[in-house]
Amino acid sequence: MASDDIALLAEALSKTHVGYGELSYKGQGLKLDNTESVKELVREIEEYQGLRALRLEGNTVGVEAAQAIAKALECKDQLQSCHWSDMFTGRLRSEIPTALRSLGSALMTAGARLRELDLSDNAFGPDGIKGIETLLKSSACHSLQELRLNNCGMGIGGGKILAAALTECHEQSSALGAPLKLKVFQAGRNRLENEGATALALAFQLMGSLEEVHMPQNGINHAGVTALATAMQHNPHLRILNLNDNTFTKRGALAMAQALRHLRTVQVINFGDCLELNLSFGEITEAAALVLAQAVQDKPHMEKLDLNGNCLGEEGCEALKETMDNMDRADILASLSDDEGEPDEEEDEEVEDEENGKEMKEKGVKDDRESPVKLEPTCHPEILSFLSSLTAETLLKLGDNRTGLIQQHVDVSDPDKVADAFLRISSLYSDDHEVKKAVLETIDILLKKAFSGSSLQTYSFLSTLLVMLGLLKGEGKVKKVQVLPGHLLVLEHAVQQDYFPQDHATLLDTFVARHGKALKSCSHARDSLKSTLERRISPEC
């Protein structure tokens, strides 16, 4: 080792912070290539009794140097915190996994019980995750509380490997009676996309212990956001959720609204001021924004709701402001000055087609979106007849078992199919007692089962219905139908039933009140529906 390098290391060691069980070489800019280059550093580690934290960030460590450091760590059984971010600058990516395996193996040999592991800003890709895979599965990580992997370039593959490792760690630790309780997870700027995010979401759901999740700038769209939102519902102590610079769109925003209803301790969603909900610039549309507004209604301590830079449109912005004002929460709504306006319908259809086509191709699913109602392969012949030639006569012909048959053969897990079936059946509504009774009974069974699903599904159903009734601009293939009085009269019946959620009635009332002109061809039925909604929302009226 050159004399000037020795002098540099000596100077760095003289600046080394030692205290509270921590040995720090943070930001020294050391170029540690081989055993000789870390001789003094290794001696410091070996002589440190009760070492609990080792900071190596801001240096660059080669394979041979890492192996020498690892050897010194093999007897450090009290080590809890490894701050090893930005530790491989200038190193070949192929070198990093070997270095990480050496360090991980040493921690396992020592019997260390880690609480913090930070490997951010190392850009080691999926192979780097493989380098810590064994460590993450081992007993050394059963006690892990904070895992930071920002800007590591792990990609979809790395995300899946990481998720599997965390899952196995949780399963093995649970078998020993002390399950993994990860509290902080950071993985921003990693190109996880939907598949990586979804894999991690399953691990998060299993653990149920997260308090902070930071996953900004990962190319995640509604599918991944939905998976993460579902997982967050199983983490009741979550305080911070950072999904900045990912694409929510309507479906992702609705899923997040559902999650918010379960997150009683949440303080920050997306980086911002304390007690802030920041969902700006996420391509969120009017309906989803109104759902999100209602989701914060029972959060009196929330200080800011930021939905700026989305796709609400002028009328959507006004509707959101009015909704917040009606809830006496107008003061927490941030400026909407950078709203992008309503999304271009043709562009949305292209995006929708591309996403759906990709998903179906990956799953080997045939595109059946043109089929108005999804049927089971062994569909009852009378059901098939009814749905193919829709008349009051074919409905009555199904007999007393009509509700059971339709419930069995209409896929209520698909909000679009439910909305389509609702409109097709309600179009048969008439003053004829038998027909009216058959229609209402059938609708009750259909919606009761549909509303027993997740709020994401039910909000999606209502959103689709609003589009088909012309009360909301569509984002994809869903198109407006010719509105008939029966549609609105049956809907009026449905909103009075116990299965129809109060918040859904509130959202429906908002759109009927603001866009009622779209229903002018059925003005009497529209006004009746509006009056019923007002009574449902404000019983004293």
Side-chain angles (χ1 to χ4, degrees), residues 383-401:
I383 286 284
L384 188 59
S385 173
F386 165 63
L387 293 173
S388 60
S389 56
L390 198 62
T391 65
E393 182 181 357
T394 54
L395 177 63
L396 293 174
K397 188 178 292 185
L398 294 176
D400 294 337
N401 198 32

Side-chain angles (χ1 to χ4, degrees), residues 69-75 101-112:
I69 295 171
K71 187 67 176 177
L73 291 175
E74 287 183 354
C75 60
R101 288 190 186 96
S102 297
L103 293 167
S105 179
L107 297 176
M108 292 185 284
T109 299

Side-chain angles (χ1 to χ4, degrees), residues 52-76:
R52 293 181 180 275
L54 178 61
R55 307 194 75 105
L56 295 175
E57 64 264 55
N59 301 289
T60 176
V61 182
V63 172
E64 187 177 329
Q67 290 170 340
I69 295 171
K71 187 67 176 177
L73 291 175
E74 287 183 354
C75 60
K76 300 301 174 182

Side-chain angles (χ1 to χ4, degrees), residues 27 47 50 57 166 198 230 263 281 327 335 420-421 448 478 483:
E47 293 180 357
E57 64 264 55
L166 290 174
T198 300
T230 300
L263 301 177
F281 299 94
M327 298 189 303
S335 169
D420 183 84
K448 187 174 182 180
V478 179
V483 181

Side-chain angles (χ1 to χ4, degrees), residues 10 34 37 76 83 147 222 233 244 254 299 320 329 334 345 370 380 398 411 416 418 473 480-482 490 497 503:
N34 49 41
S37 68
K76 300 301 174 182
H83 302 278
L147 177 60
H222 69 84
Q233 295 180 44
N244 181 46
L254 291 173
K299 299 196 180 324
L320 178 59
R329 304 304 306 277
E345 189 169 348
E370 297 302 319
H380 194 284
L398 294 176
D411 182 10
D416 293 352
V418 176
K473 183 177 179 181
K480 181 181 180 299
V481 300
Q482 181 180 352
V490 173
Q497 308 309 309
D503 50 359

